[in-house]
């Protein structure tokens, strides 16, 4: 093949790649129609950074007409859950936010869902579980049996509260229970505000019980029974979008290390002995 033909062939390949890339970018960015952002929250909630970044990006992007939160989570750590909840509330001040529940959207998952304008669940979705828990595994007696002793040096009476190496003292239990009650009240207050419930009504529903989607709708914890696409279609109507909306999902680059770390964290957080001293919305 002559040099001229090789040059033309290379140029042709470059042109094809450029046009294909431009077309793909158009599809990803939703340039072919009105856009609805989709934020997916899956698994045990152990961190908030990526989810908050997605929410902020959709809030600041004027081409995004509304946002769907797709939540399939049994809950997780208090801090990240509250951070995501607050970003959703800020998003809701600017755009419509509808929530689609997966098979499970409970505790911390429901906490976040309550920040949306409207919540959709499947009839069998497990939701509710509005409460806070701390679990402790005590190995003191086991260590004594096998002849192992532990020494703890501390400055501060409550510095080693929740230690797995000794039983909890009554005053320590009372101290931690007060913290649990404080976090629980924060959950109740935020959920009541998000759902438009009185504190009395919200508190009556916050005893840790789980509900099916059908029962949750009867209790006003959920607005509609429907799938993700029912949620999408209703949001489309609410936003007066003509034609089929383009769903914009955040692109998360694949990372084997992140996958391993995430899976390990989820597994640890799902066990009661993940940490001797942690408060969970689960």
């Amino acid at each position: 093949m002559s040099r001229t033909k090789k040059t033309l062939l290379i140029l042709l390949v470059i042109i094809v790649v450029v046009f294909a890339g431009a077309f793909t970018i158009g599809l990803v960015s939703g340039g072919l129609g009105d856009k609805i952002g989709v934020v997916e929250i899956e698994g045990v909630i152990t961190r908030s950074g990526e989810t908050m970044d997605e929410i902020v990006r959709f809030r600041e992007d004027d081409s995004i007409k509304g946002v769907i939160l797709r939540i399939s989570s049994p809950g997780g750590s208090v801090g990240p859950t509250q951070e995501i909840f607050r970003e959703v509330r800020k998003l809701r001040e600017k755009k419509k936010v509808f929530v689609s529940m997966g098979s499970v959207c409970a505790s911390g998952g429901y906490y976040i869902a309550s920040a949306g304008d409207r919540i959709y669940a499947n009839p069998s979705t497990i939701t509710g579980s509005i409460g806070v828990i701390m679990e402790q595994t005590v190995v003191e007696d086991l260590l004594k049996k096998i002849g192992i002793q532990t020494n703890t040096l501390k400055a501060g009476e409550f510095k080693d509260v929740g230690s797995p190496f000794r039983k909890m003292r009554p005053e320590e239990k009372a101290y931690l229970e007060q913290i649990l009650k404080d976090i629980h009240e924060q959950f109740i207050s935020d959920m009541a505000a998000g759902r438009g419930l009185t504190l009395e009504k919200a508190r009556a529903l916050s005893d840790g019980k789980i509900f099916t989607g059908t029962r949750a709708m009867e209790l006003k914890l959920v607005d509609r029974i429907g799938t993700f696409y029912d949620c999408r279609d209703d949001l489309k109507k609410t936003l007066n979008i003509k034609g089929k909306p383009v769903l914009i999902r955040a692109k998360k680059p694949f990372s084997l290390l992140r996958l391993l770390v995430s899976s390990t964290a989820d597994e640890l957080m799902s066990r009661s002995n993940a940490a001797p001293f942690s408060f969970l919305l689960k």
Side-chain angles (χ1 to χ4, degrees):
M1 182 181 294
S2 67
R3 181 174 297 180
T4 302
K5 289 182 178 180
K6 287 183 179 179
T7 302
L8 290 174
L9 181 59
I10 292 173
L11 288 173
L12 179 61
V13 170
I14 292 173
I15 291 171
V16 170
V17 170
V18 169
F19 274 96
F23 180 71
T24 302
I25 291 173
L27 289 178
V28 172
S29 65
L32 301 180
D34 288 323
K35 305 173 191 175
I36 290 176
V38 178
V39 177
E40 297 177 309
I41 301 173
E42 297 183 342
V44 180
I45 302 167
T46 58
R47 51 195 167 275
S48 57
E50 287 186 1
T51 300
M52 289 196 298
D53 287 346
E54 294 171 21
I55 293 170
V56 171
R57 179 166 72 86
F58 287 149
R59 185 177 74 236
E60 296 177 348
D61 187 345
D62 292 336
S63 69
I64 301 294
K65 306 304 181 183
V67 176
I68 296 174
L69 296 182
R70 174 65 174 181
I71 306 177
S72 297
S73 171
S77 299
V78 175
T81 297
Q82 290 184 322
E83 286 187 317
I84 296 171
F85 171 87
R86 281 165 174 71
E87 288 303 324
V88 174
R89 289 304 301 269
K90 286 189 276 186
L91 173 64
R92 181 177 170 180
E93 292 174 2
K94 190 173 181 180
K95 300 179 180 182
K96 288 292 183 181
V97 181
F98 282 14
V99 179
S100 170
M101 292 181 169
S103 58
V104 177
C105 181
S107 199
Y110 184 77
Y111 196 147
I112 295 171
S114 69
D117 289 288
R118 191 180 299 173
I119 300 176
Y120 291 71
N122 295 301
S124 62
T125 293
I126 298 300
T127 187
S129 188
I130 302 169
V132 189
I133 187 171
M134 174 191 171
E135 296 174 318
Q136 178 195 29
T137 299
V138 180
V139 297
E140 180 182 8
D141 293 340
L142 174 61
L143 294 181
K144 286 180 180 178
K145 286 183 179 180
I146 59 180
I148 296 178
Q149 295 181 344
T150 63
N151 292 318
T152 300
L153 302 177
K154 62 179 181 177
E157 181 183 356
F158 292 95
K159 189 59 180 177
D160 67 336
V161 64
S163 169
F165 303 121
R166 64 175 179 82
K167 296 178 179 65
M168 199 177 294
R169 301 192 302 268
E171 61 269 26
E172 292 176 324
K173 184 178 179 181
Y175 158 65
L176 292 176
E177 285 179 339
Q178 185 56 49
I179 295 177
L180 285 168
K181 290 178 182 177
D182 185 12
I183 297 173
H184 193 206
E185 283 299 313
Q186 294 173 29
F187 192 164
I188 293 170
S189 177
D190 285 341
M191 185 267 285
R195 295 298 299 162
L197 301 173
T198 64
L199 282 175
E200 291 73 17
K201 175 66 172 178
R203 192 170 286 113
L205 296 171
S206 301
D207 57 1
K209 289 180 181 178
I210 60 173
F211 310 105
T212 63
T214 302
R215 179 58 178 157
M217 190 172 73
E218 294 173 356
L219 297 171
K220 309 301 182 184
L221 294 175
V222 165
D223 297 295
R224 306 279 174 84
I225 296 298
T227 67
F228 172 85
Y229 291 105
D230 293 325
C231 177
R232 178 204 63 182
D233 291 344
D234 284 357
L235 181 55
K236 169 191 166 182
K237 293 176 184 176
T238 300
L239 298 173
N240 197 29
I241 292 177
K242 306 300 182 183
K244 186 176 181 180
V246 178
L247 300 182
I248 306 300
R249 301 174 189 268
K251 295 177 64 179
K252 297 180 180 179
F254 175 78
S255 167
L256 180 58
L257 177 60
R258 186 175 66 177
L259 177 63
L260 292 174
V261 171
S262 176
S263 298
T264 302
D266 288 353
E267 175 63 20
L268 289 175
M269 288 295 294
S270 67
R271 297 184 181 186
S272 61
N273 63 348
F277 185 26
S278 59
F279 297 102
L280 304 176
L281 298 169
K282 72 171 189 174

